[in-house]
Each structure stands twice: as C-alpha cells, then as structure tokens.
Amino acid sequence: MNDFEKQWLYKLKISLKNIGKSSLFENFSLSHQETINWSNLLMETLNQELTEEKVISVMCGCACLAPKDYLKILRDEYAKTKDLKYVHQLLQQYFEKSITKYKNLNEDQLKYIIEHEMGMAGKLDGNTITAVKIPKDFHEYFQAEDPAKKRYLYCHCPRIREALKTDKKPLDKNYCYCGAGFYKDIWEFILQREVKVKLVESLIQGNEFCKIAISI
C-alpha cells in the first residue's frame, strides 16, 4: 500500500469515527484493495448507511489540505478586520504568485486560470465563493486532444484518475467531496467557523471541470 493510500484511509477512519461510525471503517479496512471497485463499494455502503449530509461530511474529511503557513496570516487578518473581500483578495494574490512559480506558467496561462475562476481563492460573490480546480498536469492537459486523456490529466485524485480514461462513470458523484474538502478546510481555518460546500460540477458528473461552491 502506498503512502497516499495509507494517509487517505487514516482520514477516512477519523471521519467515520467523528460521526460515530467506526464500525463501518473496520468492515471496509478488512476488505481493502487499491482498486476502483473497492471505492465503488465504499460509496455504495456509505450511501446506504448514512444520510447524504453525513456522506458529504465523511468525504470532505478525506481531503488533501493546503499548507497553513500563509493561511495563518489570513486568519489573523480576518480576525482583526472581519473583511471577507480583503482577505479573499490576499488569498488570490498569494495563489497567483505561488501557482505561477509552482506550475511554471506564462502570462497567458495565468490569465486563463484567473478568467476561469480556478484555484484556491476562486470568485467571491456576496457570501459565496465559486472555485474551479486547476488541471493537475497543467501543461500536458492543454496539449492533449483526446477527451479521456484530458479527464485523466485534469483529475487530482490518484485513487480514481485511471478510471477516468474510459467513458464509463467511475464512481458516485459524492466521492468528489473529498476534493471539495480542500476548500472547506481553507475557509474554515481562515474564518474559524463552519462553512458549507457544494459540488456544482465534476468530471464524474460529465462536466469539463470540477467546480465547488463555498457558502461562507
């Protein structure tokens, strides 16, 4: 079992424990396999045993999380000012600077990301932020022409991205709340209170991008 899978399973264990369903994890762990079929069985069981709200909570808890170094600055700034618009602007500036370096982007590529509301900050409209995930393999994604290959290159999840190479729907849509949890964690850390996330679009649902709405 690779390190990512170990970490993901640990997060799943904690998420189920937090809602009083540790026994479900024990059952899953006994049959665990690093396959899409096992993940399908996981989602089927969660949907049978839990309300949709709790399924979403569990999957959000499995998310990869953003580093907190800069987010601490934003948390402190929001605590002082209570100015959501200002803190959102700071996060956008940080994202643009860091993603340009991390992905080695040129000006046109950065412009594309901003125009499509991609990245950590997304677009703020009132008390709702809409964020679109950037392609994981950014440069390869825009060079690819085959739709299945583009889906694979876009997806951030090493657990299921292989399944996106086919036209078959790989998993229940709520699985991708794992990705939405990334944004939930960012804003709950900054605001120090609960926020709600909604998966608006996703590759699994047949969309071109994965789009998440965060209700502040």
Side-chain angles (χ1 to χ4, degrees), residues 36 103 133-168 170 202-204 207-210:
I36 196 69
K103 294 290 188 182
K133 283 189 171 286
I134 66 170
K136 181 183 185 298
D137 298 316
F138 189 88
H139 300 285
E140 295 88 341
Y141 174 84
F142 288 103
Q143 293 170 359
E145 296 182 0
D146 177 64
K149 182 70 177 295
K150 288 180 79 72
R151 287 195 298 270
Y152 170 80
L153 293 169
Y154 182 92
C155 182
H156 286 249
C157 182
R159 303 190 70 257
I160 69 161
R161 66 195 306 241
E162 287 290 335
L164 292 168
K165 290 181 177 179
T166 70
D167 291 328
K168 183 180 177 181
S202 68
L203 301 185
I204 282 179
N207 303 114
E208 183 179 4
F209 302 129
C210 294

Short mmCIF file of all heavy atoms in Angstrom, two decimals, residues 36 103 133-168 170 202-204 207-210:
data_model
loop_
_atom_site.label_atom_id
_atom_site.label_comp_id
_atom_site.label_asym_id
_atom_site.label_seq_id
_atom_site.Cartn_x
_atom_site.Cartn_y
_atom_site.Cartn_z
N ILE A 36 -10.65 0.58 -8.06
CA ILE A 36 -11.85 1.41 -8.22
C ILE A 36 -13.08 0.66 -7.71
O ILE A 36 -14.03 1.27 -7.21
CB ILE A 36 -12.02 1.85 -9.69
CG1 ILE A 36 -13.01 3.01 -9.80
CG2 ILE A 36 -12.43 0.69 -10.56
CD1 ILE A 36 -12.50 4.30 -9.22
N LYS A 103 3.80 25.91 -11.16
CA LYS A 103 3.46 25.29 -12.44
C LYS A 103 4.25 25.88 -13.61
O LYS A 103 4.03 25.48 -14.76
CB LYS A 103 1.96 25.46 -12.72
CG LYS A 103 1.04 24.71 -11.75
CD LYS A 103 1.11 23.21 -11.96
CE LYS A 103 0.07 22.48 -11.13
NZ LYS A 103 0.16 21.01 -11.29
N LYS A 133 -11.23 23.79 -9.84
CA LYS A 133 -9.90 23.19 -9.69
C LYS A 133 -9.10 23.37 -10.98
O LYS A 133 -9.64 23.27 -12.08
CB LYS A 133 -10.02 21.70 -9.36
CG LYS A 133 -10.40 21.43 -7.91
CD LYS A 133 -10.29 19.97 -7.58
CE LYS A 133 -10.47 19.73 -6.08
NZ LYS A 133 -9.29 20.15 -5.31
N ILE A 134 -7.80 23.63 -10.82
CA ILE A 134 -6.93 23.70 -11.99
C ILE A 134 -6.57 22.28 -12.42
O ILE A 134 -6.62 21.35 -11.61
CB ILE A 134 -5.65 24.51 -11.71
CG1 ILE A 134 -4.77 23.78 -10.69
CG2 ILE A 134 -5.98 25.91 -11.23
CD1 ILE A 134 -3.39 24.39 -10.55
N PRO A 135 -6.21 22.07 -13.69
CA PRO A 135 -5.76 20.74 -14.10
C PRO A 135 -4.51 20.33 -13.31
O PRO A 135 -3.61 21.15 -13.12
CB PRO A 135 -5.44 20.92 -15.58
CG PRO A 135 -6.23 22.11 -16.01
CD PRO A 135 -6.27 23.02 -14.82
N LYS A 136 -4.47 19.09 -12.87
CA LYS A 136 -3.31 18.63 -12.10
C LYS A 136 -2.04 18.70 -12.95
O LYS A 136 -1.04 19.27 -12.55
CB LYS A 136 -3.52 17.21 -11.60
CG LYS A 136 -2.34 16.68 -10.79
CD LYS A 136 -2.54 15.25 -10.35
CE LYS A 136 -1.39 14.80 -9.45
NZ LYS A 136 -0.08 14.86 -10.14
N ASP A 137 -2.09 18.06 -14.11
CA ASP A 137 -0.94 18.10 -15.03
C ASP A 137 -1.21 19.21 -16.04
O ASP A 137 -1.67 18.96 -17.16
CB ASP A 137 -0.77 16.74 -15.71
CG ASP A 137 -0.46 15.64 -14.70
OD1 ASP A 137 0.36 15.87 -13.81
OD2 ASP A 137 -1.07 14.56 -14.81
N PHE A 138 -0.94 20.43 -15.63
CA PHE A 138 -1.43 21.61 -16.32
C PHE A 138 -0.99 21.66 -17.79
O PHE A 138 -1.82 21.77 -18.69
CB PHE A 138 -0.95 22.87 -15.59
CG PHE A 138 -1.57 24.14 -16.09
CD1 PHE A 138 -2.76 24.60 -15.57
CD2 PHE A 138 -0.96 24.87 -17.10
CE1 PHE A 138 -3.35 25.77 -16.04
CE2 PHE A 138 -1.53 26.04 -17.58
CZ PHE A 138 -2.72 26.48 -17.05
N HIS A 139 0.29 21.60 -18.04
CA HIS A 139 0.79 21.77 -19.40
C HIS A 139 0.38 20.60 -20.30
O HIS A 139 -0.01 20.80 -21.45
CB HIS A 139 2.31 21.93 -19.38
CG HIS A 139 2.76 23.13 -18.59
ND1 HIS A 139 2.64 24.42 -19.06
CD2 HIS A 139 3.30 23.22 -17.34
CE1 HIS A 139 3.10 25.26 -18.15
NE2 HIS A 139 3.51 24.57 -17.10
N GLU A 140 0.46 19.39 -19.76
CA GLU A 140 0.07 18.21 -20.53
C GLU A 140 -1.42 18.24 -20.87
O GLU A 140 -1.83 17.80 -21.95
CB GLU A 140 0.40 16.93 -19.76
CG GLU A 140 1.88 16.70 -19.54
CD GLU A 140 2.40 17.36 -18.27
OE1 GLU A 140 1.72 18.27 -17.75
OE2 GLU A 140 3.48 16.96 -17.81
N TYR A 141 -2.22 18.77 -19.95
CA TYR A 141 -3.67 18.85 -20.16
C TYR A 141 -4.00 19.66 -21.41
O TYR A 141 -4.83 19.26 -22.23
CB TYR A 141 -4.33 19.49 -18.93
CG TYR A 141 -5.81 19.78 -19.09
CD1 TYR A 141 -6.75 18.79 -18.84
CD2 TYR A 141 -6.25 21.04 -19.47
CE1 TYR A 141 -8.11 19.04 -18.98
CE2 TYR A 141 -7.61 21.30 -19.61
CZ TYR A 141 -8.54 20.31 -19.37
OH TYR A 141 -9.88 20.56 -19.51
N PHE A 142 -3.34 20.78 -21.59
CA PHE A 142 -3.66 21.65 -22.72
C PHE A 142 -3.04 21.16 -24.02
O PHE A 142 -3.43 21.61 -25.10
CB PHE A 142 -3.23 23.09 -22.41
CG PHE A 142 -4.13 23.75 -21.40
CD1 PHE A 142 -3.72 23.90 -20.09
CD2 PHE A 142 -5.40 24.18 -21.75
CE1 PHE A 142 -4.55 24.49 -19.15
CE2 PHE A 142 -6.24 24.76 -20.82
CZ PHE A 142 -5.82 24.92 -19.51
N GLN A 143 -2.11 20.23 -23.92
CA GLN A 143 -1.54 19.64 -25.13
C GLN A 143 -2.36 18.45 -25.61
O GLN A 143 -2.31 18.09 -26.79
CB GLN A 143 -0.10 19.20 -24.86
CG GLN A 143 0.86 20.36 -24.60
CD GLN A 143 2.21 19.89 -24.09
OE1 GLN A 143 2.44 18.70 -23.90
NE2 GLN A 143 3.12 20.83 -23.87
N ALA A 144 -3.11 17.84 -24.71
CA ALA A 144 -3.88 16.64 -25.05
C ALA A 144 -5.13 17.01 -25.85
O ALA A 144 -5.73 18.07 -25.65
CB ALA A 144 -4.27 15.89 -23.78
N GLU A 145 -5.53 16.11 -26.73
CA GLU A 145 -6.75 16.31 -27.53
C GLU A 145 -7.82 15.28 -27.21
O GLU A 145 -9.01 15.58 -27.31
CB GLU A 145 -6.40 16.26 -29.02
CG GLU A 145 -5.46 17.39 -29.47
CD GLU A 145 -5.17 17.34 -30.95
OE1 GLU A 145 -5.69 16.43 -31.64
OE2 GLU A 145 -4.42 18.22 -31.43
N ASP A 146 -7.41 14.09 -26.83
CA ASP A 146 -8.37 13.03 -26.52
C ASP A 146 -9.12 13.38 -25.23
O ASP A 146 -8.50 13.65 -24.20
CB ASP A 146 -7.63 11.71 -26.34
CG ASP A 146 -8.58 10.59 -25.94
OD1 ASP A 146 -9.45 10.24 -26.75
OD2 ASP A 146 -8.44 10.07 -24.81
N PRO A 147 -10.47 13.39 -25.26
CA PRO A 147 -11.25 13.77 -24.07
C PRO A 147 -10.95 12.92 -22.84
O PRO A 147 -10.88 13.45 -21.72
CB PRO A 147 -12.70 13.57 -24.53
CG PRO A 147 -12.65 13.73 -26.01
CD PRO A 147 -11.33 13.14 -26.42
N ALA A 148 -10.78 11.62 -23.03
CA ALA A 148 -10.49 10.74 -21.89
C ALA A 148 -9.11 11.06 -21.30
O ALA A 148 -8.94 11.08 -20.08
CB ALA A 148 -10.55 9.28 -22.33
N LYS A 149 -8.15 11.33 -22.16
CA LYS A 149 -6.81 11.68 -21.68
C LYS A 149 -6.85 13.01 -20.92
O LYS A 149 -6.19 13.17 -19.89
CB LYS A 149 -5.85 11.79 -22.87
CG LYS A 149 -4.40 12.11 -22.50
CD LYS A 149 -3.74 10.95 -21.80
CE LYS A 149 -2.26 11.24 -21.50
NZ LYS A 149 -1.45 11.40 -22.74
N LYS A 150 -7.65 13.95 -21.41
CA LYS A 150 -7.77 15.24 -20.74
C LYS A 150 -8.40 15.08 -19.35
O LYS A 150 -7.97 15.73 -18.40
CB LYS A 150 -8.59 16.22 -21.59
CG LYS A 150 -7.87 16.71 -22.83
CD LYS A 150 -8.72 17.67 -23.64
CE LYS A 150 -8.73 19.06 -23.03
NZ LYS A 150 -7.45 19.76 -23.22
N ARG A 151 -9.40 14.22 -19.24
CA ARG A 151 -10.00 13.97 -17.92
C ARG A 151 -8.96 13.43 -16.95
O ARG A 151 -8.90 13.84 -15.79
CB ARG A 151 -11.17 12.98 -18.04
CG ARG A 151 -12.42 13.54 -18.69
CD ARG A 151 -13.62 12.64 -18.45
NE ARG A 151 -13.45 11.31 -19.02
CZ ARG A 151 -13.80 10.97 -20.25
NH1 ARG A 151 -14.34 11.88 -21.06
NH2 ARG A 151 -13.63 9.74 -20.70
N TYR A 152 -8.17 12.48 -17.44
CA TYR A 152 -7.13 11.89 -16.61
C TYR A 152 -6.12 12.94 -16.15
O TYR A 152 -5.74 13.00 -14.97
CB TYR A 152 -6.42 10.78 -17.39
CG TYR A 152 -5.17 10.26 -16.72
CD1 TYR A 152 -5.25 9.35 -15.68
CD2 TYR A 152 -3.91 10.70 -17.14
CE1 TYR A 152 -4.10 8.87 -15.06
CE2 TYR A 152 -2.76 10.23 -16.52
CZ TYR A 152 -2.86 9.32 -15.49
OH TYR A 152 -1.73 8.86 -14.87
N LEU A 153 -5.69 13.78 -17.06
CA LEU A 153 -4.68 14.79 -16.74
C LEU A 153 -5.24 15.90 -15.86
O LEU A 153 -4.49 16.56 -15.13
CB LEU A 153 -4.12 15.39 -18.04
CG LEU A 153 -3.31 14.43 -18.91
CD1 LEU A 153 -3.05 15.04 -20.28
CD2 LEU A 153 -2.00 14.06 -18.22
N TYR A 154 -6.54 16.09 -15.91
CA TYR A 154 -7.17 17.13 -15.08
C TYR A 154 -7.31 16.68 -13.63
O TYR A 154 -7.09 17.47 -12.70
CB TYR A 154 -8.56 17.46 -15.64
CG TYR A 154 -9.27 18.56 -14.88
CD1 TYR A 154 -9.16 19.89 -15.27
CD2 TYR A 154 -10.06 18.27 -13.76
CE1 TYR A 154 -9.80 20.90 -14.58
CE2 TYR A 154 -10.70 19.27 -13.06
CZ TYR A 154 -10.58 20.58 -13.47
OH TYR A 154 -11.21 21.58 -12.77
N CYS A 155 -7.66 15.42 -13.41
CA CYS A 155 -8.03 14.93 -12.08
C CYS A 155 -6.83 14.92 -11.12
O CYS A 155 -5.74 14.48 -11.47
CB CYS A 155 -8.61 13.53 -12.20
SG CYS A 155 -9.16 12.83 -10.62
N HIS A 156 -7.08 15.36 -9.89
CA HIS A 156 -6.04 15.40 -8.86
C HIS A 156 -5.97 14.12 -8.03
O HIS A 156 -5.02 13.94 -7.28
CB HIS A 156 -6.30 16.58 -7.91
CG HIS A 156 -5.98 17.91 -8.49
ND1 HIS A 156 -4.93 18.69 -8.06
CD2 HIS A 156 -6.57 18.61 -9.50
CE1 HIS A 156 -4.88 19.81 -8.76
NE2 HIS A 156 -5.87 19.78 -9.63
N CYS A 157 -6.97 13.27 -8.14
CA CYS A 157 -7.06 12.13 -7.23
C CYS A 157 -6.34 10.89 -7.77
O CYS A 157 -6.80 10.29 -8.74
CB CYS A 157 -8.52 11.77 -6.96
SG CYS A 157 -8.70 10.40 -5.79
N PRO A 158 -5.23 10.49 -7.15
CA PRO A 158 -4.52 9.31 -7.63
C PRO A 158 -5.29 8.01 -7.42
O PRO A 158 -4.97 6.99 -8.02
CB PRO A 158 -3.23 9.32 -6.80
CG PRO A 158 -3.57 10.06 -5.57
CD PRO A 158 -4.56 11.10 -5.98
N ARG A 159 -6.34 8.06 -6.62
CA ARG A 159 -7.12 6.86 -6.33
C ARG A 159 -8.06 6.49 -7.49
O ARG A 159 -8.40 5.33 -7.68
CB ARG A 159 -7.93 7.02 -5.05
CG ARG A 159 -7.09 7.36 -3.81
CD ARG A 159 -7.89 7.28 -2.52
NE ARG A 159 -8.20 5.88 -2.22
CZ ARG A 159 -9.38 5.32 -2.43
NH1 ARG A 159 -10.37 6.03 -2.93
NH2 ARG A 159 -9.58 4.06 -2.14
N ILE A 160 -8.53 7.50 -8.23
CA ILE A 160 -9.55 7.21 -9.25
C ILE A 160 -9.22 7.71 -10.65
O ILE A 160 -9.94 7.40 -11.60
CB ILE A 160 -10.93 7.78 -8.85
CG1 ILE A 160 -10.91 9.31 -8.91
CG2 ILE A 160 -11.34 7.29 -7.47
CD1 ILE A 160 -12.28 9.92 -8.99
N ARG A 161 -8.15 8.48 -10.81
CA ARG A 161 -7.94 9.14 -12.10
C ARG A 161 -7.74 8.15 -13.25
O ARG A 161 -8.09 8.45 -14.40
CB ARG A 161 -6.80 10.16 -12.02
CG ARG A 161 -5.42 9.61 -11.77
CD ARG A 161 -4.44 10.71 -11.34
NE ARG A 161 -4.37 11.83 -12.23
CZ ARG A 161 -3.24 12.20 -12.87
NH1 ARG A 161 -2.13 11.50 -12.72
NH2 ARG A 161 -3.25 13.25 -13.66
N GLU A 162 -7.21 6.96 -12.96
CA GLU A 162 -7.05 5.96 -14.02
C GLU A 162 -8.40 5.58 -14.62
O GLU A 162 -8.51 5.33 -15.82
CB GLU A 162 -6.36 4.71 -13.46
CG GLU A 162 -4.88 4.87 -13.18
CD GLU A 162 -4.04 5.00 -14.44
OE1 GLU A 162 -4.50 4.50 -15.49
OE2 GLU A 162 -2.96 5.59 -14.37
N ALA A 163 -9.43 5.55 -13.77
CA ALA A 163 -10.76 5.16 -14.24
C ALA A 163 -11.36 6.20 -15.18
O ALA A 163 -12.27 5.90 -15.95
CB ALA A 163 -11.69 4.94 -13.05
N LEU A 164 -10.85 7.42 -15.14
CA LEU A 164 -11.38 8.48 -15.99
C LEU A 164 -10.89 8.36 -17.43
O LEU A 164 -11.31 9.13 -18.30
CB LEU A 164 -10.99 9.84 -15.42
CG LEU A 164 -11.66 10.20 -14.09
CD1 LEU A 164 -11.00 11.42 -13.47
CD2 LEU A 164 -13.15 10.44 -14.28
N LYS A 165 -10.02 7.41 -17.69
CA LYS A 165 -9.55 7.20 -19.06
C LYS A 165 -10.62 6.52 -19.93
O LYS A 165 -10.46 6.42 -21.14
CB LYS A 165 -8.29 6.35 -19.06
CG LYS A 165 -7.06 7.07 -18.50
CD LYS A 165 -5.84 6.17 -18.54
CE LYS A 165 -4.60 6.89 -18.06
NZ LYS A 165 -3.40 6.02 -18.06
N THR A 166 -11.68 6.06 -19.30
CA THR A 166 -12.78 5.45 -20.05
C THR A 166 -13.99 6.38 -19.99
O THR A 166 -14.04 7.32 -19.21
CB THR A 166 -13.18 4.09 -19.46
OG1 THR A 166 -13.81 4.29 -18.19
CG2 THR A 166 -11.95 3.21 -19.28
N ASP A 167 -14.99 6.10 -20.80
CA ASP A 167 -16.22 6.90 -20.81
C ASP A 167 -17.19 6.46 -19.73
O ASP A 167 -18.20 7.11 -19.48
CB ASP A 167 -16.91 6.80 -22.18
CG ASP A 167 -16.10 7.50 -23.27
OD1 ASP A 167 -15.42 8.50 -22.94
OD2 ASP A 167 -16.14 7.06 -24.42
N LYS A 168 -16.91 5.34 -19.09
CA LYS A 168 -17.79 4.81 -18.06
C LYS A 168 -17.73 5.68 -16.81
O LYS A 168 -16.66 6.10 -16.39
CB LYS A 168 -17.39 3.38 -17.72
CG LYS A 168 -18.28 2.70 -16.70
CD LYS A 168 -17.81 1.28 -16.42
CE LYS A 168 -18.66 0.62 -15.36
NZ LYS A 168 -18.20 -0.76 -15.06
N PRO A 170 -17.12 6.40 -13.31
CA PRO A 170 -16.33 5.57 -12.41
C PRO A 170 -16.86 5.44 -10.99
O PRO A 170 -16.66 4.42 -10.34
CB PRO A 170 -14.97 6.28 -12.40
CG PRO A 170 -15.30 7.71 -12.69
CD PRO A 170 -16.50 7.68 -13.59
N SER A 202 -18.43 18.31 -11.83
CA SER A 202 -17.29 17.42 -11.64
C SER A 202 -17.11 16.55 -12.87
O SER A 202 -18.05 16.36 -13.66
CB SER A 202 -17.46 16.54 -10.40
OG SER A 202 -18.51 15.61 -10.59
N LEU A 203 -15.91 16.02 -13.03
CA LEU A 203 -15.65 15.12 -14.14
C LEU A 203 -16.55 13.89 -14.06
O LEU A 203 -17.04 13.40 -15.08
CB LEU A 203 -14.18 14.67 -14.12
CG LEU A 203 -13.11 15.76 -14.21
CD1 LEU A 203 -11.73 15.11 -14.30
CD2 LEU A 203 -13.33 16.68 -15.39
N ILE A 204 -16.76 13.40 -12.86
CA ILE A 204 -17.59 12.21 -12.67
C ILE A 204 -19.02 12.43 -13.15
O ILE A 204 -19.68 11.51 -13.62
CB ILE A 204 -17.57 11.78 -11.19
CG1 ILE A 204 -16.25 11.05 -10.88
CG2 ILE A 204 -18.74 10.88 -10.84
CD1 ILE A 204 -16.10 10.62 -9.45
N ASN A 207 -18.92 16.73 -16.48
CA ASN A 207 -18.54 18.11 -16.76
C ASN A 207 -17.08 18.21 -17.18
O ASN A 207 -16.29 17.28 -17.00
CB ASN A 207 -18.79 18.98 -15.52
CG ASN A 207 -20.23 18.92 -15.05
OD1 ASN A 207 -20.51 18.41 -13.96
ND2 ASN A 207 -21.15 19.41 -15.85
N GLU A 208 -16.73 19.36 -17.72
CA GLU A 208 -15.36 19.58 -18.18
C GLU A 208 -14.42 19.85 -17.01
O GLU A 208 -13.24 19.46 -17.04
CB GLU A 208 -15.32 20.76 -19.16
CG GLU A 208 -13.96 21.02 -19.76
CD GLU A 208 -13.96 22.17 -20.75
OE1 GLU A 208 -15.02 22.83 -20.91
OE2 GLU A 208 -12.90 22.42 -21.36
N PHE A 209 -14.93 20.55 -16.00
CA PHE A 209 -14.13 20.92 -14.85
C PHE A 209 -14.80 20.45 -13.56
O PHE A 209 -15.95 20.03 -13.56
CB PHE A 209 -13.95 22.45 -14.77
CG PHE A 209 -13.31 23.07 -15.98
CD1 PHE A 209 -13.91 24.16 -16.61
CD2 PHE A 209 -12.12 22.58 -16.49
CE1 PHE A 209 -13.33 24.74 -17.72
CE2 PHE A 209 -11.53 23.16 -17.60
CZ PHE A 209 -12.13 24.24 -18.22
N CYS A 210 -14.07 20.59 -12.46
CA CYS A 210 -14.65 20.37 -11.13
C CYS A 210 -14.84 21.73 -10.47
O CYS A 210 -13.87 22.47 -10.26
CB CYS A 210 -13.72 19.50 -10.27
SG CYS A 210 -13.55 17.80 -10.89
#
